[in-house]
Amino acid sequence: MASPKTVWYLSILLVFCCSLEKQDCLETPNVTSEESPTDGSQVPSREKREVTANLSEKILISPISSVLTITEINITTAILSEKIGEVELDITNIPAELIDVLKASVKYLTYPILISSVLNITEINITTAILSEKIGEVELDITNIPAELIDVLKASVKYLTYPILISSVLNITEINITTACYQNSIGFQCRCEDQYGWSCDQCSSYGSCDDIIDGKICGCVNAVPSNGPFCQPIPDLTACPTQSPIPVSTTKQTTASSTTPTTPSSTTSIPTTKQSTASSTTPTTPSVNTLNLQFTMDITFNSTFNDENNAMFKDVDQTIRDVYKRNMRGFISAKLNRFKSGSVISDFTVMTTIVDNEEIAKAKDDIVSTIGGKYKIRFTCLNNTIFGNGQVNEIVVANCKSDEVGYKTAICQENGTFSVRENNCVLKEIENLFLLSQTLVGTDLPGFLERLRNSTFNLLDRIVASPATISIIVDILKNVANVSRSTPINKPLMTNFLETAGVLTSNGAKASWDVLNTNLTKNENSVFLGTFETISNFLTNDFFDIETPSIILNKTSVNNSVNNSFNLNSSVLIDIPASEASFNSITIITFDSLNNVLPARNSSSLNDSVNSINGKVVLVKVNGTIKNVTFSFAVLNETLGNPQCVFWNFSLFGGLGGWDDNGCELQSDEDRTVTCHCNHLTSYSILMSPFIPDAFRAALDFITYIGVGISMGCLVVCLIIEILVWNAVTGNNTSYMRHVSIVNIALSLLIADIWFIIGAAISEYDQKNVPACSAATFFIHFFYLALFFWMLVSGLLLLYRTVMVFSHMSKPAMLAFSFFLGYGAPIIIAVITIAVTAPVKEYIRDNDGVCWLNWTESMALLAFVIPALTIVVINLLILIVVLYKMLTRGVGDVTQPDERNAVVVIARCLAILTPFFGTTWGLGVGTMTNPENLGIHIVFAIFNSLQGLFILVFGTLLDKKIREALTGMSQVSSNRTRTTNATTSSTSGLGFFRIRRRNIFNISAAPTYSTTGASETFINT
C-alpha cells in the first residue's frame, strides 16, 4: 500500500546583521511577510523603503531512510528586514513513524546555527503538513540596505565552505544570489545576476528595462514580480517578445536568490507568518577593503587607450576582473580605472572582504602569465622569498611570519632587489600582552609582569631585532606604569619591570632604536624613559636594591645632618649637601646602556650627529625638593671631549624630547671624570663630541681624500709599468719574486684604498648601514694586512738570498710560500677578528660613524696594529742582518752575480718603505690614544696619503733594470718613428724624381742578466 504524500513546512528564521562604518548593526523595522497577491498585481508599497531580495539556497539532504529523502531546499525570495522570513520544505513519502524523529531532530538543535559571518539560523519549527511535491520557499524582508552590503553578501555566500552542517541529517550544499532590485522614483527595478533572467510572462507583465536577450528573456523588470519575484536560470526560460529599454535607477538596494522547483506541479501552500527571534550572537559584517593597484606595460602610451571601448582597455579590464576573482576569496569587484603614461601604467581598483597579501601576489603573477607577453608586462625583482616578484618602483606588501601580526612593505629597485621600507611585524605573544595591558588592574600585576618578563627573555633575539615589537613593549610598560598610580610597586614587581626594560636597552637593540628614532613623529624613547619617571614615584615604602645586567635601582634613606654621597658602581657619584636634604628617601636608577635608546639631540639641534652620550644615564627621585646636587660621571669613550652637562627634557621639539643643559653647568673635566652641578633632579648624563673641531676635521678629510687619490693614481702607474717590463726584468728567480712582491704590495694597497673610499661614503650617512660598514671594514683590514705581509715576504726573500747564498728553492715552492704568507695569514686574522667581535656588536667603531675597527669596547684594532708593527720590527731586524753581512763581506760575496741588482733593490725598498709604513701606522695608533692632538692627525693624514707614491718611486722607478727596459722600449718606439718618417720622405717630392734609398735599423738588446747595454746598427744604402 502506497504511503500518502505528506508535506512538512519548516520555518527557519534567518538574521542578517551588518556593521558599516560606525554602525553596530543595521537598524530596520520589524516587518512581517505578506501573502503574495494572486492576481498578478504589484507588491503593495510599504511605509519605509524595502526591496525584494531573492536568495536561492539549495539544501541537499542525505537519505533519512529507504523511504524518506529530502531532495532540495530552495531559498527563493528575500525581503530583508529585522524579521528575516520562512523556509517551506516539501518532503515526500514520509512514514508516520519517522515524523516524531524529524520533530526531535529540529527541536533539540543548538541555536544559533552559524551559516557565515553575516548569516545565522536562530530557530526551526515544524508547523504544517499538506500534500505537495513543491519543496519550499524562503521570504526575507530587508529594508534600507546600503549598496556596499550587497557586494559583501555576495562575497560571503560565494566563498562559504560547503556542506554547512545544520544537523546530522540536514546540510546546506550551495547558496546562490540571483536577483538585485533597485528603487527609483516610480518603484522598483529588479535586475538579474549573471546566468539568470526573467521569464517571458514577467518581462511582458512588468515591463522590461533592458534589451531582450536571445529573443526569449529579459534581464530587468520594472517591479518586484508577485508571481515568483526571483530570476530563473536562463536555460529554463521560454522566449518572449522584445520590450523597449527603460533607464535603470542607480540607487542599489538589495537582492537575494532563486532556484527552480525540482518537480513542477500544482502546489497548495498555506503561508505562515512568524516574528523573528533575536539571536544571542550578533553576526558581524565583513569590512569592505578597497585596494588601489597598478602594473606597468612596456609600450608607448596613447591617450586613446583610455577609451572604454578600446580593445586593449576592454581586454585588460576583463583580465583584471577574471584574475582577481579566481585568486581572491573575498573578491567583490575589480575595475580598470585608467591608463597613465610612464610607459603605460594600468591603474585599477579591487574591492574585497579579505585582504591576503599572498593572494594579491598570486593574482599579480597570474596577470603577467595571462597578458604579460601580449602587453610586455615584466618583473624586475624576481623570486624574493618574502616579497615575491615586482616591477621597478612597485611597492609590495608581504605577510609577517605565522607567529607575528602586521605586515611589511618593500619597493622594487632597478638593480632587481627589494628595499624594505616598513616592517610592522609584531610577535603575537607581545601583541596579546599589549591587549591584556589595556585592561590591566593592580591585582593582575604580579602574574602579568612575570609573563612579560619571561616572554621578553624567551624571545629576546627576535624582540631586539624588531622596531615594531619594541614599540609595543614600550606601550605595555607605559600601561603598567599607569597602573602603579593606584597600586604601589614592591621589589619583586619592580625586578620584573627592570629586567623586561633591560632587554630593550641592550646593545642588540640599538639598530632597532636607530630606526625608531629616525621617525620624528613618534617619541618612543621619551615614553620609555617616562615610564621610569612615573613608576619610581609609586614604589612601596621599603628600602631595597635591585641589580639587573643593565639597570640598577637603589632606594635608600637620607641622613639630613651630613652630606650624602652615593657611589653607583664607580661610574656615577652623586653628592647632596646636608642643607639640601629636606627629604628622607632617595631613589636612584642607573642605566648602563640607555645611550642605545636615547638619541644625542640637544636643545640646539634636532639632528645632532656630532655629540654622543658619553656617560651612564642616571635618574634621581626624592620625596621632596632639591636645588643643589653634584654628579660625577666616568666617561665611556676617552677619545671624545668637549663635555656638556645635560638632562632629558621631555617637552623639547614639541614633545619628542631632547637633552637640555638648562640649570646644569660643567665644574671639571679631569682624570677621565666629568663633574656637573645642577639645581634640579630628573634624568642626567653627559654629551661629548670629538676633540677636533668640525672646521679642522673638514681640512683633514680634504687632505686625506686628495692624498688617497694621488696614491691610487701612483699605484695604477706602478702596476702598468710592471706589466710593460715584466719579461725584461724577471730573468732569474730573485728578480721574479722581487717583482711578484712589489706587484702584490701595490695591488693590496690599491684595493685597500678603494674600500677606504667606499667606507668613507658609507660613514657619511646619518644612519650607519652596519652590514655595509662591517663589509668595508673587513676588506680594508684584510688588504692593509696583506700589504704588510707582502712586505714581510720581501724581507724574508732578502734574508734568504743573502744568508743562504748557495741554497736554491724552486720557483713554484717560493710562489706557494709567498702567497700563503701574503694572503693566507691576513685572511685568517681578519676572519677571526670579525667572528669574535661582530656577534657582540663590537667589530666596528660606533662613536664617530667611521667604518674601521673598534677600539674603545673590544680593541679589535689591535688585530691590525700588532701584526703590522710586528712585521715592521721583523723587517728592520732583517735589514740589520743583511747590512752587517754586506759590510763585512761585500755585496759580491753575499749574492750570486746575476742576482746582485735585485738584492740591492729589495734592501733599498725595505730600508725606506718599512720605516715609512711603520711610522704611518704608529701615527695611526697615536690618533687613538691622543685624539685631541691635532698635529698627529695632520701628519698621519699626510703619511697615509703618500704610501702609493713611495711604492712607485722606491719600488719601481729607482730600479735600474726597470729604467733600462723602459729606455729600450722608448728607443724602439723612436726608431720605428724614424723609419716611418724616412720612408715618407723618400716617396715625397715631384713625381718624376725617384730617389731609391734603403734604411735598415738593427736593434739588439742584451739579456737581462748581462751588463752590456743595447747595440744599434744603422745601415743606409
Side-chain angles (χ1 to χ4, degrees), residues 42 96 141 144 196 217 384 389 433 485 565 661 737 805 1006:
Q42 190 168 323
D141 291 347
N144 301 322
Y196 289 88
I217 64 169
N384 185 278
N389 303 320
L433 286 168
R485 298 176 186 272
S565 294
D661 60 359
M737 291 307 304
V805 179

Side-chain angles (χ1 to χ4, degrees), residues 934-948:
L934 182 61
I936 292 179
H937 283 275
I938 294 175
V939 175
F940 172 70
I942 294 174
F943 270 66
N944 188 44
S945 303
L946 296 178
Q947 292 179 102

Side-chain angles (χ1 to χ4, degrees), residues 785-853:
L785 280 178
L787 162 70
F788 278 93
F789 274 93
W790 276 103
M791 287 291 296
L792 178 61
V793 169
S794 295
L796 294 176
L797 177 65
L798 176 63
L799 182 66
Y800 170 71
R801 300 315 295 165
T802 54
V803 175
M804 294 177 283
V805 179
F806 299 103
S807 175
H808 292 282
M809 183 185 296
S810 67
K811 184 184 295 185
M814 295 175 68
L815 282 174
F817 172 78
S818 299
F819 275 91
F820 175 78
L821 184 61
Y823 291 120
I827 195 65
I828 292 172
I829 296 173
V831 168
I832 292 175
T833 303
I834 193 172
V836 171
T837 58
V840 292
K841 312 295 184 182
E842 294 179 351
Y843 179 57
I844 57 177
R845 292 170 63 170
D846 191 45
N847 58 322
D848 54 6
V850 176
C851 292
W852 186 225
L853 296 172

Side-chain angles (χ1 to χ4, degrees), residues 537-548:
N537 289 325
F538 302 101
L539 302 179
T540 58
N541 294 325
D542 305 326
F543 297 128
F544 51 80
D545 294 334
I546 302 174
E547 185 170 349
T548 69

Side-chain angles (χ1 to χ4, degrees), residues 468-505:
T469 302
I470 287 178
S471 179
I472 291 294
I473 295 179
V474 170
D475 290 336
I476 294 174
L477 296 178
K478 179 183 176 182
N479 292 337
V480 171
N482 290 334
V483 173
S484 71
R485 298 176 186 272
S486 58
T487 304
I489 304 299
N490 57 27
K491 183 176 180 179
L493 294 179
M494 196 63 186
T495 300
N496 284 329
F497 185 92
L498 294 180
E499 289 181 343
T500 300
V503 170
L504 305 191
T505 67

